[in-house]
Amino acid sequence: MTMPDRDGWTVETLHDNYAQALREDRVFYDSETDHQRLRVFENGRFGRVLTLDGVVQTTEGDEFMYHEMLAHVPILAHGAAKRVLVIGGGDGGMAREVLRHTSVDHCTMVEIDAGVVDFSKEYLPALSDGVFDDPRLDLVIADGAAFMAEKHEPFDVIIVDSTDPIGPGEVLFTDSFYGHAARLLTPDGILVTQNGVPFMQPDELRQTMRAFRTLFPDWGCYLTHVPSYAGGPMALGWGSMSVKGRDVDLAVLKQRFAAAGLQTRYYTPEVHKAAFALPAYVAALLS
Ligand code: AG3
């Protein structure tokens, strides 16, 4: 994934014909777990940066644009989510945003790589911000796809905080995985997924949307913009058993947002509604 290092720079070559380079002011961690190569370094613009197999996963500087939109959009659209499932998300950023909702009773987080959790606590403490000590969090170290295939109590919201569909994350993009997610949702339940940057990764979104179309009465995607996921806005998949979540009025979202008492830096009820407006090149991938 990475090109031979230019001195002091990480060069990410996730996409064909395009690379992004981030200067490494200081390397905090660099090691290989059973599953993948982990690195954390400091960058003057993004703060601490986590890469897995050379691909930027999250940065202290822009993680809010990703975590807030994957957590607050489904939870506030649902309006009464008590049980939330996070697949992946070993850095803890997603569980942190989920459990900022005091109305959420229980968050199960299933991460395949215990190494990511341990080292994120140590080298990226701002991401989890203490969430691993929250009694409402149930951390399970297991393969997310295998976990989903087993029988569980249903969830109101399922969030797939995955890598790209390469390596251990690949199974999280299959029809059978999405099928299990659909089966595990409560009647008004909502599934959201990380589906890459559609300008760079059109097939990733196209394939997921093809699966969602057959599984969910209400399906589609919405957008966020994360500078370190280069190449344009990122698509977040949306699949729901009812249209209630998507149809919720702005006024209702505003009430729920105020009642939740959240301080956010990207999410607002207006951005929530607008995120479902798709540029034509993205909408074309859904047809
Ligand atoms: N995982 C999503 C990484 C996606 C990177 N993809 C890309 N640049 N196209 C984020 C994990 C944060 N909890």
Side-chain angles (χ1 to χ4, degrees):
M1 264 319 130
T2 11
M3 295 206 297
D5 276 356
R6 306 250 319 248
D7 263 2
W9 291 74
T10 280
V11 181
E12 177 195 70
T13 55
L14 172 63
H15 310 299
D16 290 337
N17 308 301
Y18 182 89
Q20 78 164 334
L22 290 162
R23 196 215 296 278
E24 299 174 344
D25 294 333
R26 183 176 157 198
V27 177
F28 291 100
Y29 189 88
D30 185 1
S31 139
E32 197 103 27
T33 72
D34 291 347
H35 297 277
Q36 47 210 342
R37 177 158 182 208
L38 299 176
R39 257 170 93 77
V40 178
F41 59 87
E42 177 78 20
N43 170 274
R45 184 66 194 89
F46 288 93
R48 291 194 186 193
V49 178
L50 165 65
T51 63
L52 292 185
D53 294 333
V55 179
V56 175
Q57 294 302 312
T58 198
T59 85
E60 285 179 343
D62 66 2
E63 56 89 8
F64 66 96
M65 308 187 188
Y66 176 83
H67 292 126
E68 287 185 10
M69 287 300 278
L70 265 176
H72 303 323
V73 169
I75 291 173
L76 292 170
H78 184 285
K82 297 280 175 220
R83 288 172 48 81
V84 177
L85 173 64
V86 175
I87 299 289
D91 53 69
M94 197 62 74
R96 176 201 74 205
E97 285 306 309
V98 168
L99 289 174
R100 287 174 69 197
H101 293 265
T102 50
S103 56
V104 169
D105 289 340
H106 182 88
C107 177
T108 300
M109 171 180 153
V110 185
E111 166 61 48
I112 193 168
D113 192 341
V116 177
V117 175
D118 290 342
F119 107 108
S120 296
K121 279 191 207 168
E122 190 166 349
Y123 295 98
L124 296 162
L127 265 289
S128 49
D129 194 26
V131 80
F132 292 114
D133 300 324
D134 190 318
R136 294 174 297 157
L137 181 72
D138 180 17
L139 172 62
V140 179
I141 300 298
D143 178 326
F147 177 92
M148 295 282 260
E150 291 158 16
K151 214 173 146 30
H152 293 282
E153 270 180 69
F155 293 93
D156 301 308
V157 168
I158 300 178
I159 302 172
V160 183
D161 181 12
S162 64
T163 59
D164 292 280
I166 343 167
E170 211 173 328
V171 289
L172 304 181
F173 289 82
T174 59
D175 292 13
S176 96
F177 174 77
Y178 294 136
H180 287 303
R183 187 179 49 78
L184 273 184
L185 285 175
T186 52
D188 293 326
I190 300 168
L191 166 71
V192 291
T193 56
Q194 182 284 107
N195 278 106
V197 170
F199 180 71
M200 294 293 190
Q201 300 159 293
D203 290 340
E204 194 172 315
L205 182 60
R206 199 184 277 126
Q207 277 160 25
T208 295
M209 293 296 101
R210 207 168 278 161
F212 277 25
R213 183 185 309 149
T214 63
L215 291 167
F216 298 101
D218 185 36
W219 60 276
C221 73
Y222 61 106
L223 301 176
T224 187
H225 210 129
V226 188
S228 62
Y229 303 153
M234 171 171 256
L236 307 174
W238 168 279
S240 178
M241 290 305 170
S242 91
V243 293
K244 267 167 75 178
R246 192 199 294 246
D247 282 351
V248 58
D249 286 339
L250 180 59
V252 173
L253 284 178
K254 283 183 172 174
Q255 274 164 15
R256 290 179 184 169
F257 181 58
L262 300 175
Q263 296 296 321
T264 53
R265 288 187 290 156
Y266 190 98
Y267 179 95
T268 68
E270 288 85 355
V271 165
H272 174 145
K273 281 307 247 186
F276 286 86
L278 303 178
Y281 82 94
V282 179
L285 298 169
L286 275 60
S287 60

